[in-house]
């Protein structure tokens, strides 16, 4: 099983998207108070980092 840098970036992107969506979901449904804003903000940050990883695929 050969994993090159693009495969690793692809898996990292997928994991960060999943984690970001989970954090946004926690912020929206589990924590309805001020803590929910923090969870949603961190989840959005995860999605932005996943976008950066996705754009780096093939360029490194």
């Amino acid at each position: 099983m050969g994993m090159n840098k693009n495969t690793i970036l692809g898996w990292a992107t997928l994991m960060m998207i999943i984690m970001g969506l989970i954090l946004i979901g926690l912020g929206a449904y589990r924590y309805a108070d001020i803590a929910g804003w923090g969870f949603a903000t961190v989840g959005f940050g995860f999605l932005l980092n996943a976008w950066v990883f996705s754009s780096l695929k093939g360029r490194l």
Side-chain angles (χ1 to χ4, degrees):
M1 180 174 158
M3 288 185 64
N4 59 9
K5 59 189 173 201
N6 288 330
T7 306
I8 293 171
L9 281 173
W11 279 107
T13 301
L14 178 67
M15 286 186 261
M16 290 189 79
I17 288 172
I18 291 171
M19 193 65 200
L21 292 176
I22 288 172
L23 285 171
I24 291 173
L26 277 174
Y29 297 112
R30 176 74 170 102
Y31 300 106
D33 53 351
I34 298 298
W37 287 98
F39 274 97
T41 303
V42 171
F44 187 65
F46 265 84
L47 292 180
L48 289 178
N49 281 334
W51 177 55
V52 169
F53 279 0
S54 177
S55 68
L56 285 176
K57 252 181 7 181
R59 295 182 190 263
L60 290 178

